[in-house]
Amino acid sequence: MSRRCAFVPMLVVAVLSALGVGCVRSRRLPPADADLIHNWQPVEPAQPFGTRGTPLALSNTPDGVIQAGHSDLKSADPARPKTILALSGGGMYGSYTAGVLNGWTQSGKRPEFDVVTGISTGGLIAPLAFLGPEYDGQMKLIYTRVTRRDIFTYRNWATIPFRDAVASTAPLREIVDAGITDEMMLKIAAEHRKGRRLYVGTTNMDSRRFTTWDIGAIATQCESRDRADLKAAKKLIVDILIASCSLPGVFPPVPIDVEVDGKKYTEYHMDGGVTAAVWVPTQALSAAALDRGVPAAAQKPADVYVILAGKSFPDAGAIEPRLLNVLATFIGTAQAAQYRSSVTNLYHQAVLGGLRFHMTAVASEFDTPAGGLEFDTKQMNRLFDEGVRVGRGALWWDAPPERGPGDVDPIRTGNRFRSAK
């Protein structure tokens, strides 16, 4: 190759570097067989629900790092979960979720949840909801004060064709990294040892499947005196939380290093809302189900609470047939349909297990902004206040609003209609 030919690719790299275009991260690719990835078994198996151990004692070390000590982790008799909370995604509509939880606390009727699950913005709220009302203030601060620039920044438009997303979540990572303190992780670990469970969902881009992460089990890795264990556990939890709300195309996927049979790979994970809008692991639902060998009247059914960060149906309205308008309408409509499908699926699972179902969503008559990525503080405060009203009044529905996306309108037999009388 001549010097001139060799110079051309070097010049291209230099120009792209000047524009801020980073090289794609090289990674150790997982096997191409998605079923093989899906069947990877954790080295440490998941503990049974309700398995309880001695609570951990928190203490400060000389270097200021909070550590935990325990002398006896023998499990007592397992107790089935009695209250389950499932939080959906929804971007800035997470303000409604935060409001419901704050209002619920104010009502004096908010229970301690045995199982908490979260996806996307619900994944960010889940640890705070799991640890209880003492984190309500932090939840309110985040969902009424942050702006779009506090969450993400748009990249240089000239570099986007060479990027993995149009925006960077570096600002959000700073918030999450600062919020997930050593003390918080050890509190989560302590509650996990008591038998409570905290789950966050992501979508594995390699297997194209939903992935459930046991945040409590990961947090227990930081209980040792080894600073490296603490750092590694925190990084993994932060990566999972960021991945759970990384909307594909908008935010970059998150690389997560894994090890299988001694071999190391790097997976890419993105928004859990791509594969599920809201969920509860089947293991949790099975553990909470009524014992079929005992008369139902002699048992107290468990409760499943679902907080939908958004509306069950998007607002109707005529649109201009322009590309961005059509795409925005498509995304909003598809997301709402997935909400209804996921909630309905969870409802039937709960009913089959003898569990009581409760849900709330932003009321159809409540005026809301079009999208979930504006992070307008005025709108977020309105959503938060509406959530507080609903939570304080315990305004729960006992079934999904609709059992299917086509159940509302009559079957059309042509294009001529009359107004219903």
Side-chain angles (χ1 to χ4, degrees), residues 12 121-122:
V12 171
T121 194

Side-chain angles (χ1 to χ4, degrees), residues 200-234:
V200 171
T202 65
T203 298
N204 185 332
M205 293 183 66
D206 296 299
S207 67
R208 278 74 159 174
R209 299 187 184 186
F210 188 81
T211 301
T212 298
W213 298 89
D214 188 333
I215 302 300
I218 297 170
T220 59
Q221 298 172 18
C222 70
E223 295 168 2
S224 72
R225 299 284 176 178
D226 190 340
R227 177 72 188 183
D229 289 343
L230 181 67
K231 185 177 180 180
K234 177 175 180 176

Side-chain angles (χ1 to χ4, degrees), residues 296-376:
Q299 304 179 70
K300 182 179 179 180
D303 293 283
V304 176
Y305 296 93
V306 177
I307 303 180
L308 209 59
K311 295 185 176 182
S312 299
F313 284 88
D315 294 331
I319 69 164
E320 290 292 330
R322 299 290 185 268
L323 177 61
L324 294 180
N325 293 338
V326 171
L327 287 176
T329 301
F330 161 72
I331 293 172
T333 303
Q335 184 181 52
Q338 187 185 41
Y339 278 170
R340 295 193 301 275
S341 177
S342 293
V343 171
T344 300
N345 180 56
L346 183 53
Y347 167 77
H348 287 297
Q349 286 182 291
V351 170
L352 288 173
L355 285 66
R356 293 181 298 204
F357 179 89
H358 319 267
M359 77 161 288
T360 181
V362 178
S364 59
E365 63 272 14
F366 187 82
D367 183 32
T368 57
L373 295 179
E374 291 87 351
F375 291 95
D376 180 279

